[in-house]
């Protein structure tokens, strides 16, 4: 077995080259000596656990949802390690990273795989920047990224949406059927996400100005949404049921998530598995087909792109199976007959 020896800053460094072949040993010795200047001897024995703690610490400024995902993936990688307790980062090889990613590859969609791989990339980039290692093992992973799959979007029709709400409200075995139905109905009529709806307070609702103010949780910014004519009866009923004395900080909706009730209702009705986001898209489709300008739709969704996301994401499914809508749009291409010149005389 060949070993490399080198004196750095007055201290003798030794490293097994893990080979009995002289040519391979010479190549590895050259790489090892080149990397000695890139590594800080004070931290080169940092363990994977210590690196994970440091990575979580530098990620504290990210959104809560993002930080939660980072913690879960990092913990999963740290707890998986089958090659001895608490390994040093410098001993982690590209094959180790590939082996862990392969364990999850079949069950993950491509976008989720990219998220797992991306967090590992950031983890080892931190180790390189802190001079714990000279080169990231992730850089030599063969499958570092996958092309995202085209998502299958299902948007319920207005009839399906109303059937779902009625089914949830009529469920006798649930003590929260009415609250769940109100929550899901609000998502579909207001066109907002589950997080925005669950945090709406009566102080955010202005019946006089016919407007509501939501906080977009992804960007922590406020955006206005009108009280649509089809939404107003629901809001007025909720306002009446809340009682005569309402605090501005009081929540409009009594529950924060209707996912379970929605899934059960879809199963009982024999409908596709619609998500709470699909209910939001139901309102976007309703506005689009009503001829509302895409910039206004984007504004009411809290988007800052002037409607580009609406065009790129949703329009391919609006009217995909709606013959009446297609005929309505084709009618716009018809040229009106030109007036008869003789009629003027």
């Amino acid at each position: 077995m060949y070993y490399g020896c080198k004196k750095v800053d007055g201290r003798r460094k030794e490293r097994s080259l893990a080979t009995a072949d002289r040519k391979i040993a010479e190549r590895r010795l050259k790489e090892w000596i080149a990397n000695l200047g890139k590594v800080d001897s004070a931290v080169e024995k940092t363990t994977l656990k210590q690196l994970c703690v440091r990575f979580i610490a530098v990620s504290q400024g990210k959104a809560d949802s993002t930080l939660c995902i980072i913690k879960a993936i990092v913990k999963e990688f740290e707890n998986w390690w089958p090659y001895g307790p608490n390994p040093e980062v410098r001993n982690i090889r590209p094959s180790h990273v590939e082996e862990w990613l392969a364990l999850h590859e079949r069950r993950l969609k491509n976008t989720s795989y990219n998220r797992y791989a991306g967090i590992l990339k950031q983890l080892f980039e931190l180790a390189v920047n802190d001079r714990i290692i000279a080169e990231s093992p992730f850089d030599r992973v063969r499958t570092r990224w996958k092309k995202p799959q085209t998502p299958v979007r299902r948007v319920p029709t207005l009839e399906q949406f109303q059937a779902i709400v009625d089914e949830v409200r009529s469920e006798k075995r649930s003590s929260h059927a009415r609250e769940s139905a109100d929550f899901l109905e609000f998502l579909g009529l207001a066109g907002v996400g589950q997080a925005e709806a669950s945090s709406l307070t009566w102080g955010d609702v202005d019946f006089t100005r016919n407007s509501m103010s939501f906080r977009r949780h992804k960007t922590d910014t406020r955006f206005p949404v009108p009280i649509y004519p089809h939404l107003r009866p629901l809001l007025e009923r909720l306002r009446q049921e809340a009682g005569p004395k309402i605090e501005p900080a009081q929540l409009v909706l009594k529950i924060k998530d209707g996912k379970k009730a929605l899934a059960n209702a879809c199963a009982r009705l024999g409908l596709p598995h619609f998500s709470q986001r699909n209910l939001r898209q139901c309102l976007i489709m309703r506005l689009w087909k009503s001829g509302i300008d895409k910039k206004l739709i984007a504004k009411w969704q809290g988007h800052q792109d002037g409607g580009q996301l609406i065009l790129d994401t949703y329009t391919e499914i609006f009217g995909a199976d709606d013959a009446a809508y297609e005929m309505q749009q084709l009618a716009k291409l018809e040229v009106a007959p030109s007036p008869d010149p003789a009629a003027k005389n």
Side-chain angles (χ1 to χ4, degrees):
M1 186 69 66
Y2 283 95
Y3 288 80
C5 299
K6 178 74 173 177
K7 184 173 288 187
V8 179
D9 296 330
R11 299 181 62 182
R12 179 185 174 90
K13 297 280 186 180
E14 294 184 358
R15 181 70 177 261
S16 171
L17 301 176
T19 183
D21 185 283
R22 182 179 179 85
K23 292 295 183 181
I24 297 176
E26 288 176 351
R27 184 170 67 252
R28 290 181 179 176
L29 176 65
K30 185 177 180 180
E31 292 176 357
W32 177 64
I33 293 176
N35 290 335
L36 280 176
K38 301 177 183 179
V39 176
D40 185 349
S41 59
V43 294
E44 65 177 343
K45 293 186 178 182
T46 299
T47 64
L48 177 61
K49 185 173 183 178
Q50 291 171 330
L51 176 64
C52 290
V53 170
R54 189 176 303 180
F55 182 63
I56 296 298
V58 300
S59 302
Q60 292 297 320
K62 299 184 181 296
D64 291 341
S65 58
T66 303
L67 183 60
C68 183
I69 293 172
I70 290 174
K71 286 181 178 179
I73 294 176
V74 168
K75 184 177 180 180
E76 198 169 353
F77 179 68
E78 178 188 345
N79 292 341
W80 163 79
W81 193 259
Y83 303 104
N86 204 15
E88 294 180 358
V89 178
R90 63 180 180 177
N91 293 327
I92 298 177
R93 301 287 178 258
S95 60
H96 298 149
V97 180
E98 286 187 338
E99 181 180 351
W100 184 76
L101 287 172
L103 291 175
H104 303 278
E105 190 169 1
R106 285 190 176 183
R107 71 177 183 85
L108 295 176
K109 293 182 179 179
N110 291 359
T111 50
S112 299
Y113 178 91
N114 293 340
R115 180 174 294 175
Y116 273 58
I119 288 176
L120 286 191
K121 178 183 178 182
Q122 295 172 36
L123 178 69
F124 289 112
E125 280 179 349
L126 175 63
V128 173
N129 292 338
D130 282 354
R131 298 179 63 193
I132 298 171
I133 52 178
E135 181 184 7
S136 168
F138 184 84
D139 291 345
R140 296 191 183 185
V141 169
R142 286 170 292 183
T143 308
R144 297 188 293 273
W145 182 85
K146 290 186 174 184
K147 183 178 180 180
Q149 297 154 325
T150 303
V152 178
R153 298 185 178 90
R154 299 186 180 95
V155 179
T157 64
L158 293 179
E159 292 76 15
Q160 290 173 329
F161 166 67
Q162 191 58 54
I164 290 171
V165 173
D166 293 342
E167 179 66 24
V168 173
R169 185 166 280 119
S170 63
E171 176 57 48
K172 304 297 183 183
R173 292 170 293 181
S174 173
S175 58
H176 303 289
R178 184 180 179 86
E179 292 82 358
S180 298
D182 290 341
F183 186 85
L184 296 174
E185 187 175 12
F186 185 86
L187 295 184
L189 297 181
V192 295
Q194 174 261 331
E196 288 78 16
S198 62
S199 60
L200 181 70
T201 65
W202 285 113
D204 298 325
V205 180
D206 191 336
F207 283 102
T208 304
R209 295 186 177 182
N210 201 49
S211 177
M212 301 175 291
S213 176
F214 289 91
R215 181 174 69 87
R216 186 167 177 81
H217 287 234
K218 287 184 178 180
T219 58
D220 197 28
T221 56
R222 285 275 173 180
F223 66 97
V225 174
I227 301 177
Y228 304 106
H230 54 262
L231 172 63
R232 194 174 188 92
L234 173 63
L235 270 181
E236 289 177 344
R237 176 172 64 79
L238 293 175
R239 172 65 178 82
Q240 185 178 4
E241 293 175 354
K245 295 182 180 180
I246 297 180
E247 298 294 331
Q250 183 176 336
L251 294 174
V252 173
L253 299 162
K254 295 182 179 180
I255 65 171
K256 295 182 177 294
D257 196 331
K259 178 171 57 178
K260 186 176 180 179
L262 175 59
N264 291 336
C266 289
R268 290 194 299 268
L269 293 170
L271 294 175
H273 176 65
F274 293 122
S275 67
Q276 294 181 108
R277 178 173 292 182
N278 293 147
L279 300 188
R280 176 185 189 177
Q281 295 164 349
C282 184
L283 185 277
I284 299 175
M285 180 173 65
R286 188 174 190 169
L287 297 176
W288 178 268
K289 289 188 176 183
S290 297
I292 303 297
D293 186 87
K294 65 179 185 297
K295 292 184 178 180
L296 266 182
I297 299 177
K299 177 183 176 182
W300 295 337
Q301 289 295 304
H303 299 168
Q304 306 295 325
D305 60 357
Q308 191 60 45
L309 181 62
I310 300 294
L311 289 174
D312 294 343
T313 307
Y314 298 112
T315 53
E316 78 275 8
I317 53 175
F318 292 171
D321 298 315
D322 190 341
Y325 178 66
E326 290 183 3
M327 293 301 295
Q328 176 189 350
Q329 298 304 304
L330 287 172
K332 296 179 179 180
L333 300 176
E334 295 181 3
V335 180
S338 56
D340 185 0
K344 295 182 179 180
N345 300 326

